[in-house]
Structure formats: structure tokens, C-alpha cells
Amino acid sequence: MDAGRHLDLSSDPQPAPEGPAAGARPFLGVRFACCDVYARVYLNRDGTAYQGRCPRCVRTIEFQVGEGGTSSRFFTAQ
């Protein structure tokens, strides 16, 4: 076999991550009714709230994280 002519892509030294993509940030999908646009709102560094802005008018929004919340991932902000 000539060195450098064949590439072995079948071996994987690390197992594939389980669940969401490794390094993916949690987010909520929000439709901002003010400008009729969709944006992702990401979890803050403290993990206490999802914070974001309308990409057009820069209106801010915050969703608190806590017990008894909802499992919904998509919302409309009025």
C-alpha cells in the first residue's frame, strides 16, 4: 500500500456524544409579533433565564427558568 494514498475514516477514537449536539446552547424559539419575525432566545450564562431581543426593533424579552415551568420550546411575544 502506498503511504498517503489511502485514508481510513472508519475508526473513531471517541464515542459520539449522546443527546443534544455537544456544545449546543439551549434556546427557545420566539416569534416577535411586533415585527413579525422569528428569533432564537438563548439561556443566559447563569442558567436562570432565557434572554433575547427582537432582531428588528430590539425589544427585549426574558423567560425565567424555575420549577413548575413549561416544556414548550416555541412562543409568540406580543
Side-chain angles (χ1 to χ4, degrees), residues 10-46:
S10 62
S11 60
D12 187 7
Q14 298 178 350
E18 294 182 20
R25 289 180 61 197
F27 68 89
L28 300 177
V30 178
R31 185 181 79 77
F32 288 89
C34 52
C35 297
D36 197 29
V37 294
Y38 167 85
R40 287 183 175 186
V41 175
Y42 290 94
L43 187 63
N44 66 11
R45 290 181 182 173
D46 298 331

Side-chain angles (χ1 to χ4, degrees), residues 36-78:
D36 197 29
V37 294
Y38 167 85
R40 287 183 175 186
V41 175
Y42 290 94
L43 187 63
N44 66 11
R45 290 181 182 173
D46 298 331
T48 58
Y50 289 85
Q51 299 170 322
R53 299 171 190 246
C54 173
R56 288 197 183 151
C57 70
V58 196
R59 176 181 167 208
T60 61
I61 192 163
E62 181 173 289
F63 297 87
Q64 296 292 320
V65 174
E67 291 184 34
T70 181
S71 61
S72 296
R73 304 300 298 164
F74 296 93
F75 299 90
T76 297
Q78 297 294 325

